[in-house]
Amino acid sequence: MRVLSGIQPSGALHLGNYFGSMRPNLEWQDKAEQSFYFVVDLHALTSVQDRNQLRQSRIDCILDLLACGFDPKKAIIFYQSHIPEHAELMWILSTLVPMGMLERAVSYKDKVSKGLSASVGLFTYPVLMAADILLYDTNLVPVGKDQKQHVEIARDIAIKFNNTYGDVLVVPEPQIHEDVAVVPGTDGQKMSKSYGNTIPLFGDDASIKKSIMGIVTDSKGMNDPKDPETCVIYQMHKLFLSPEDARALGDEYRNGLPYGEGKKRLLSTYMEYFRPMREKRMKLKEKDAMEVAAMGAKRAKSVAVGTMVKVRAAVGLL
Ligand code: ADP
Ligand code: TRP
């Protein structure tokens, strides 16, 4: 079983990235025959066009992954841009993708409505993501729910390729943990680097406190009964809890736990959970990221080259 996922270096990693993507992929690095977790820096160009910012975010991203427990001896950790085969496969796949398939992609429409420029790169983003996945004979792609449609597009493209050229590409499946499928942000929408509503994993203590204390709530009085299902504080807090503890906390909200008290408890749980990772992160240096990425690129490259030999032969480019 091959398991693969990617993350954009487009800003500081946050709680939604951790529970939606990093944690499920961390579990797979111990269980999968081979697992890949990589920094999709070519994708990030669709939203980050400041070279200093991208340079810093790429480095921080790998250091954050290492601090959270990704282990280069187990998972193949690398930068997408170090393997040019991603862009080559993307082009070949794009010749098979009907415009309508991309026109239906909700993420493109969402991003444009939130103010990103409607570039060709943003439009064809799902084809690059399909290439990312198909290049490594991936069976399973653990992602948050917002990425489900993109993995389905990768599946459809693999099937179309195989129908056209013969059985070459492995057809992947998404894996989504329903309990953490969409982590809400401090404003109640999906938490996302691009929406300014995140709680960062590695921000300084004061900014994490400010984000948690700033979570939006409704205007219920201090001791009024609250609905945990619509309470963002509870929805975040339960990510850290066992089902029994989550149920008990839900009952406390129903019995009138004040939102201010709920936020203080969330802050303390957050700090306790991430403390070891935050301590490890402080000790990591830029050169650690470079070493891990160089080693990862070597391992990724050998798989990517093997797939491209088959793809080139299948389409008549060999
Ligand atoms: P962002 O939306 O912050 O830019 P990315 O697009 O880089 O994050 O997403 C990286 C991974 O994290 C993807 O698998 C995505 O599904 C997951 N993810 C991002 N935000 C959330 C969230 N709020 N809830 C659950 N998973 C999320
Ligand atoms: N599009 C994904 C996101 O925004 C990131 C990504 C790029 C990805 N390539 C991938 C995720 C391949 C899984 C597999 O979150």
Side-chain angles (χ1 to χ4, degrees):
M1 165 84 84
R2 280 220 171 130
V3 181
L4 167 148
S5 206
I7 190 153
Q8 294 196 70
S10 50
L13 301 191
H14 56 73
L15 202 62
N17 296 137
Y18 183 77
F19 284 103
S21 170
M22 294 159 74
R23 204 171 66 170
N25 282 286
L26 276 165
E27 286 166 17
W28 279 109
Q29 76 172 355
D30 291 311
K31 290 190 293 190
E33 220 168 279
Q34 184 63 265
S35 73
F36 300 77
Y37 202 76
F38 57 107
V39 176
V40 293
D41 45 7
L42 295 175
H43 276 111
L45 286 172
T46 57
S47 62
V48 183
Q49 275 142 13
D50 173 325
R51 81 174 72 83
N52 293 324
Q53 188 194 335
L54 184 61
R55 187 186 170 280
Q56 193 58 51
S57 296
R58 287 168 92 237
I59 295 164
D60 287 344
C61 196
I62 288 210
L63 298 181
D64 292 354
L65 299 180
L66 296 175
C68 287
F70 281 94
D71 178 350
K73 290 197 208 74
K74 296 176 183 164
I76 301 185
I77 300 166
F78 64 102
Y79 290 116
Q80 179 191 36
S81 65
H82 283 181
I83 312 293
E85 283 77 3
H86 288 247
E88 185 187 0
L89 180 57
M90 179 205 172
W91 175 255
I92 294 175
L93 297 177
S94 76
T95 61
L96 292 174
V97 178
M99 293 288 285
M101 190 191 275
L102 301 183
E103 277 158 2
R104 284 190 293 275
V106 290
S107 161
Y108 172 75
K109 286 183 246 175
D110 268 11
K111 287 177 177 173
V112 172
S113 75
K114 294 249 158 48
L116 275 192
S117 83
S119 64
V120 173
L122 192 64
F123 186 66
T124 55
Y125 181 114
V127 190
L128 180 58
M129 178 158 162
D132 293 346
I133 296 170
L134 303 178
L135 197 50
Y136 298 98
D137 288 348
T138 305
N139 306 104
L140 202 68
V141 188
V143 279
K145 202 171 189 165
D146 59 312
Q147 295 300 317
K148 183 165 186 251
Q149 190 188 25
H150 283 162
V151 181
E152 284 163 356
I153 291 176
R155 269 180 75 79
D156 291 347
I157 296 178
I159 292 168
K160 181 104 189 257
F161 186 97
N162 290 346
N163 286 341
T164 310
Y165 292 116
D167 232 354
V168 175
L169 299 173
V170 173
V171 179
E173 294 274 352
Q175 190 204 36
I176 291 153
H177 286 287
E178 280 308 321
D179 46 338
V180 294
V182 184
V183 175
T186 51
D187 58 358
Q189 294 189 69
K190 177 194 115 94
M191 186 180 289
S192 171
K193 292 179 211 108
S194 21
Y195 304 162
N197 63 357
T198 69
I199 302 185
L201 300 179
F202 297 104
D204 58 59
D205 290 15
S207 65
I208 289 174
K209 183 170 178 193
K210 190 162 167 239
S211 317
I212 290 182
M213 290 305 177
I215 295 172
V216 290
T217 57
D218 58 27
S219 53
K220 297 233 168 66
M222 273 264 272
N223 299 311
D224 287 350
K226 323 273 186 319
D227 178 3
E229 291 315 307
T230 58
C231 170
V232 177
I233 315 163
Y234 174 78
Q235 293 300 321
M236 284 185 193
H237 202 154
K238 78 170 190 196
L239 300 167
F240 297 91
L241 303 177
S242 65
E244 303 80 68
D245 290 347
R247 225 169 296 128
L249 182 64
D251 288 342
E252 286 197 69
Y253 275 104
R254 274 185 280 270
N255 292 327
L257 181 73
Y259 288 132
E261 171 62 20
K263 288 178 181 176
K264 278 192 207 140
R265 291 201 206 167
L266 171 60
L267 177 62
S268 117
T269 304
Y270 193 96
M271 285 302 185
E272 203 171 306
Y273 186 90
F274 288 112
R275 182 170 301 115
M277 300 174 218
R278 290 163 61 81
E279 285 170 3
K280 185 166 174 197
R281 178 68 178 80
M282 306 264 270
K283 296 189 192 121
L284 292 166
K285 301 273 178 302
E286 186 169 326
K287 81 167 192 352
D288 300 316
M290 294 304 134
E291 279 169 21
V292 165
M295 187 166 98
K298 229 188 254 168
R299 295 169 71 196
K301 180 90 182 172
S302 71
V303 183
V305 165
T307 308
M308 283 316 293
V309 169
K310 288 189 278 176
V311 167
R312 286 194 203 107
V315 302
L317 289 173
L318 206 62

